[in-house]
Amino acid sequence: MTTLHPIPAPSDTAAHPRDRLGRALHDLRISVMDRCNFRCPYCMPESTYGEHFTFLRNDERLDFDEIERIARAAAGLGVSKLRLTGGEPLLRPHLVDLVRQLCGIEGIEDLAMTTNGVLLARHAQELREAGLHRVTVSLDTLDPALFHRMSGGRGRVADVLAGIDAALAAGFPGGVKVNTVVQKGVNDHAILDVLAHFRGTTVVPRLIEYMDVGNRNDWSPSRVLPSRELVERIAAKWPLQVLPARYPGEVASRYRFVDGAGEIGVISSISQPFCGDCSRARLSSEGTLYTCLFATRGTDLRLLLRGGASDEQLQVLLRDTWLRRADRYSEQRADLHTSSSRKIEMHYIGG
Ligand code: SAM
Ligand code: SF4
Ligand code: SF4
């Protein structure tokens, strides 16, 4: 297995393709499951994803060997970081086997997972042993009533916290982060409580501006609290010091508490877009490759895989898709927001 380093800087060689804006491909996010056991209103609102919603059939999702082939082809083009996501990745049966397969790919230095955490206590140890390098757990509030609202009435704060504890106990070498989506007027008043809970631990909370992903989450700019304002609020209670980025293109701006109680990150996708450094591709559970979180269309890799294509043909399609890429949605948001194009939904391609 490739040796894992805590936070690898992406490698960059001339052999690796660059898109039309000169960006290299370093990260691949893999959605292993379109279903979820939550119904967060900002991602999979119950009104749309009720009991009659049709999710993919098992045979429509890529199987583990197909995912491995794509990841291997991507590694050959410069991808060194993989992240498993969903929907809820821990709903995918035998996920630990996929982790083992992906860790064995030459060039993959970092394998992470984003989860809502409710099933994590059950799986943390085996995932760690299989080679998963780090875990991000989503948690928007510690207040049980607000949590209930923000998860669409599913799951419990206590289970998510138990998942985080289990992840800490398992000792993931890349550590444990918490993703908190901040919605003005919904949970912005509850952010200091989340930070207070993790101060003095190794868990790094990351505060994410609420984004207009998909078409069903009723997003409005008035629901976005710019990170700068949030950082001011936090610093008024616990003074903060800016930390340098660990590698070019790091998405989160990092801060440390001056009193030594740990670190936080803020992700300013709306107020300070970072498309110029965006090195990510996203693979949906049914095998479509997207080169932007806000894409309206993607490249069907499953068709190629199931049509008997060789590894070389697969890599050529991946390379060509990346070379054609010119996405910079977040930088153009204001112009595009009135567009009628349907974006891909978040639960198909993960965050
Ligand atoms: N179900 C897993 C989870 O919630 O962690 C993985 C998939 S979820 C789509 C990945 C991340 O996207 C989560 O941290 C979630 O909070 C974030 N997310 C979902 N909708 C969002 C939105 N509209 N704006 C910002 N982040 C969002
Ligand atoms: Fe599920 Fe994650 Fe979306 Fe919430 S954010 S509905 S937990 S996929
Ligand atoms: Fe990357 Fe698209 Fe997000 Fe810009 S909007 S940072 S191109 S995923």
Side-chain angles (χ1 to χ4, degrees):
M1 197 189 109
T2 314
T3 312
L4 294 171
H5 308 288
I7 301 290
S11 62
D12 199 358
T13 73
H16 299 157
R18 287 185 174 267
D19 70 10
R20 282 159 54 196
L21 301 178
R23 301 167 295 188
L25 170 63
H26 293 309
D27 297 46
L28 180 64
R29 301 197 153 206
I30 303 171
S31 171
V32 293
M33 176 50 94
D34 52 314
R35 289 176 178 271
C36 188
N37 44 3
F38 280 19
R39 287 292 178 277
C40 307
Y42 56 63
C43 178
M44 294 176 72
E46 182 79 53
S47 54
T48 303
Y49 297 92
E51 55 180 309
H52 299 299
F53 186 83
T54 310
F55 289 97
L56 297 174
R57 294 190 314 267
N58 286 348
D59 66 340
E60 289 177 307
R61 291 187 197 103
L62 293 184
D63 67 28
F64 289 173
D65 290 343
E66 290 170 330
I67 293 174
E68 182 188 341
R69 279 187 69 192
I70 294 172
R72 203 177 283 283
L77 297 175
V79 165
S80 59
K81 299 165 82 168
L82 301 176
R83 178 173 292 273
L84 304 177
T85 178
E88 175 46 43
L90 291 176
L91 289 182
R92 180 77 189 240
H94 313 295
L95 187 68
V96 66
D97 295 335
L98 179 65
V99 167
R100 237 175 253 119
Q101 283 177 248
L102 296 178
C103 283
I105 297 176
E106 192 178 336
I108 297 304
E109 297 171 356
D110 183 27
L111 176 61
M113 178 180 69
T114 307
T115 170
N116 63 31
V118 282
L119 298 173
L120 188 56
R122 213 177 290 172
H123 297 288
Q125 187 60 36
E126 61 176 6
L127 289 167
R128 161 78 182 97
E129 284 164 14
L132 189 72
H133 183 213
R134 57 200 176 99
V135 176
T136 301
V137 180
S138 303
L139 179 61
D140 295 335
T141 174
L142 292 171
D143 171 4
L146 184 54
F147 181 92
H148 190 79
R149 225 175 106 201
M150 293 189 77
S151 69
R154 317 285 176 98
R156 294 184 319 152
V157 175
D159 295 332
V160 180
L161 293 177
I164 293 170
D165 287 345
L168 289 170
F172 287 97
V176 178
K177 294 196 176 81
V178 160
N179 269 3
T180 304
V181 177
V182 181
Q183 283 188 67
K184 197 170 175 174
V186 177
N187 68 332
D188 60 312
H189 65 283
I191 300 304
L192 292 183
D193 291 345
V194 173
L195 298 187
H197 185 85
F198 294 110
R199 271 169 48 83
T201 74
T202 56
V203 174
V204 179
R206 302 196 323 165
L207 309 170
I208 305 173
E209 287 178 354
Y210 178 41
M211 292 186 285
D212 51 336
V213 282
N215 312 284
R216 293 162 173 152
N217 71 0
D218 210 13
W219 183 86
S220 125
S222 63
R223 290 275 201 84
V224 179
L225 179 68
S227 296
R228 193 169 296 136
E229 259 181 76
L230 184 60
V231 166
E232 277 167 17
R233 281 193 206 173
I234 299 166
K237 185 163 169 89
W238 301 295
L240 293 170
Q241 182 187 21
V242 178
L243 289 172
R246 286 162 302 180
Y247 51 87
E250 187 171 27
V251 165
S253 306
R254 300 161 58 226
Y255 298 84
R256 66 178 282 274
F257 291 114
V258 170
D259 64 7
E263 182 183 324
I264 64 167
V266 299
I267 303 184
S268 317
S269 345
I270 306 288
S271 63
Q272 296 164 64
F274 34 79
C275 300
D277 288 321
C278 181
S279 58
R280 294 174 177 179
R282 294 173 157 88
L283 180 65
S284 73
S285 19
E286 81 269 51
T288 306
L289 188 78
Y290 295 93
T291 56
C292 179
L293 180 56
F294 302 92
T296 51
R297 86 181 88 85
T299 304
D300 186 350
L301 301 183
R302 188 182 64 185
L303 193 70
L304 199 76
L305 287 171
R306 296 193 181 172
S310 66
D311 289 343
E312 197 186 354
Q313 286 169 318
L314 178 62
Q315 199 173 69
V316 166
L317 181 59
L318 272 174
R319 175 188 287 274
D320 287 351
T321 303
W322 191 260
L323 288 173
R324 276 199 311 272
R325 174 187 194 243
D327 307 280
R328 51 187 199 91
Y329 178 90
S330 284
E331 291 178 352
Q332 300 169 310
R333 176 172 279 107
D335 301 336
L336 297 179
H337 218 256
T338 49
S339 139
S340 57
S341 306
R342 309 276 304 162
K343 290 174 275 176
I344 184 72
E345 294 299 333
M346 182 81 143
H347 73 108
Y348 275 114
I349 53 173

